[in-house]
Amino acid sequence: MLMRPTDTLAEVRRTRAALAWWGALVVASFAAGAVLHALGVLRIDHLPPLHAHFRVLTVTLVPAAVLAAVAVRVLPGAVRRGGFGRASLVAYGFALAWTVLLAMSGDGLAAPFTHPQEYLAVLPQVGHDPLGWLAGFTRRLGEYPTHVRGHPPLPVLVLWALAAVGLGGPLWAAVLVIAAGCSATVAIGLTVRRLAGEQAARRALPYLALTPASVWIATTMDAFFAGVGAWGVALLVLGRGTTARTLWAAGAGVLLGALPYLSYGLVPYLLIPVTVAVLARLPRPAVTAALAGAASVTAAFAAGGFWWPAGVVATHAQWAADPGAARPYLYFLVANLAVLALTTGPATAAGLPRLAVALTNRPSASGLTNRPATIALRDRPAAFGLGNRAASLRFGERPAAFVVAAALAAVLALDLSGVTRGEVERIWTPFAIWIGLAVAYAPGRRTLATQAVTGLLLQALILSPW
């Protein structure tokens, strides 16, 4: 169970209730999905609510399982020692190894990018004239593979640029995606450090590294989106002087401004940086610089001949004609959240009640929660155990809880829109890694082990096209 001996009776009950709801949501969604598939309502989904097939991996998953066991044992202690930069690199290294070993247990790193409906398939049409291709993108949208039709043009241009410097092909695309996706561990850690203190960030790093979402970080371009978004948020809070903060904020604006050109579904994601900017009390020059950076991205695409609203309209027309649009809205309204539950793991559900308490409680007299970020920044990495009650309270900084709440709100907005009917295991990836911060409100080695086991089971039993 994901409870500690120091938990109060009320906390134990809330945790048990959260885990029960997690299990009920997942089981009910798969049961209803099986019925809908048998009735022919969900013909294109063979394992609803997932767009996947059932499989069983055994021996090939052993290296990932061994790494998970080692990480659960040593990673929490490793990120407590040394400077925060060292701790971040250790967590990043484990995240990379975990993600790569998960992918290698199946069809390998490059396999998803070899699919004819993936982004790489359109590179021959881009040729040596990316600006000409960009100018005609909306007009010729119906000619492109499925993933290209469903997204703005920037993912293709990123892969074109990678090929232009001699790193073309599926393997290099996979390397880019994994490196960027796993780097979100570091970016989110830096953000938490600024908002809630260094100890809070160190507590979060192991859970960020072993997130169950790693199953899709290794296989989908959405992991690259996750890395871009996470670093866009992190850059908002870096820098100490006015000039440094303004420069970092301008870079943040460019990255965040690129998100709607990577995926139309990332517009609600912008609620996360807005929340972080408010919590960090971003000064006016930095806000202006961030907005200018974002505006420069829009201006560059407009100058290149791509008008974002026209792209939205054209993509929606393609989506409406696709079989995916016929999926039942009410089923996926609930089932999409079951997929989010899987990608964030049961330990996240266990942490959500404590996160809710952190949001609603006023500052405690002990000063362990809700301290201003300027004070929290002075925290040093004093020894703390994963089962230590005081350390758990210390993570309960309200700013970190507000960021998780913002990510949840963004997912709910996208879910309610109805344009995400299925196939959300990849779409949720940029949001899931932020929501996974809730795990650190229910800390413990068993909690970390639960997350790792969830990732292993997902990889072992699910054959995803991404």
Side-chain angles (χ1 to χ4, degrees), residues 20-33:
W21 277 106
W22 185 91
L25 176 62
V26 171
V27 171
S29 295
F30 274 98

Side-chain angles (χ1 to χ4, degrees), residues 84-102:
F84 188 75
R86 174 191 176 278
S88 298
L89 287 176
V90 168
Y92 182 51
F94 270 95
L96 281 173
W98 168 243
T99 303
V100 168
L101 289 178
L102 284 175

Side-chain angles (χ1 to χ4, degrees), residues 136-461:
F137 177 80
T138 303
R139 185 178 64 257
R140 303 181 61 182
L141 191 62
E143 304 173 12
Y144 300 139
T146 301
H147 276 197
V148 180
R149 294 202 310 269
H151 290 80
L154 186 51
V156 171
L157 294 177
V158 169
L159 294 176
W160 179 89
L162 194 66
V165 296
L167 303 177
L171 180 58
W172 282 113
V175 169
L176 171 68
V177 162
I178 293 172
C182 290
S183 74
T185 295
V186 179
I188 295 175
L190 289 170
T191 304
V192 172
R193 183 193 190 201
R194 170 63 178 85
L195 296 178
E198 190 165 309
Q199 289 192 28
R202 288 176 185 264
R203 290 186 71 78
L205 286 175
Y207 306 104
L208 292 168
L210 295 185
T211 172
S214 296
V215 171
W216 288 281
I217 287 176
T219 58
T220 171
M221 194 70 180
D222 293 72
F224 177 77
F225 308 162
V228 172
W231 280 106
V233 176
L235 293 184
L236 284 176
V237 297
L238 294 183
R240 296 189 178 274
T242 301
T243 301
R245 295 194 71 178
T246 301
L247 291 174
W248 284 118
V254 171
L255 293 179
L256 296 172
L259 292 180
Y261 294 89
L262 289 169
S263 173
Y264 297 115
L266 287 174
V267 172
Y269 184 97
L270 297 176
L271 182 60
I272 299 173
V274 169
T275 301
V276 168
V278 171
L279 293 171
R281 298 179 180 178
L282 205 63
R284 185 173 296 177
V287 172
T288 302
L291 292 175
S296 69
V297 177
T298 299
F301 273 94
F306 176 74
W307 183 238
W308 191 84
V312 172
V313 172
T315 297
H316 187 270
Q318 293 292 323
W319 172 83
D322 189 84
R327 291 176 171 129
Y329 171 79
L330 289 179
Y331 169 70
F332 279 104
L333 182 66
V334 177
N336 284 347
L337 300 180
V339 177
L340 179 68
L342 285 173
T343 58
T344 55
T348 298
L352 286 176
R354 291 178 172 89
L355 181 143
V357 171
L359 283 173
T360 56
N361 277 358
R362 302 305 302 166
S364 64
S366 65
L368 286 174
T369 59
N370 308 326
R371 294 170 305 152
T374 53
I375 299 177
L377 277 170
R378 294 198 294 266
D379 285 344
R380 300 310 304 164
F384 55 87
L386 282 174
N388 183 277
R389 175 67 176 163
S392 174
L393 288 173
R394 188 177 291 276
F395 189 86
E397 301 282 353
R398 298 184 80 207
F402 275 114
V403 174
V404 177
L408 281 168
V411 165
L412 290 175
L414 198 53
D415 191 29
L416 288 168
S417 72
V419 297
T420 51
R421 301 186 192 182
E423 304 184 35
V424 293
E425 46 267 44
R426 59 182 177 82
I427 297 172
W428 289 160
T429 299
F431 306 90
I433 52 178
W434 287 99
I435 295 169
L437 282 173
V439 179
Y441 287 87
R445 279 201 171 87
R446 284 179 296 180
T447 303
L448 189 59
T450 299
Q451 294 297 87
V453 169
T454 301
L456 290 169
L457 288 174
L458 288 173
Q459 180 67 8
L461 302 178

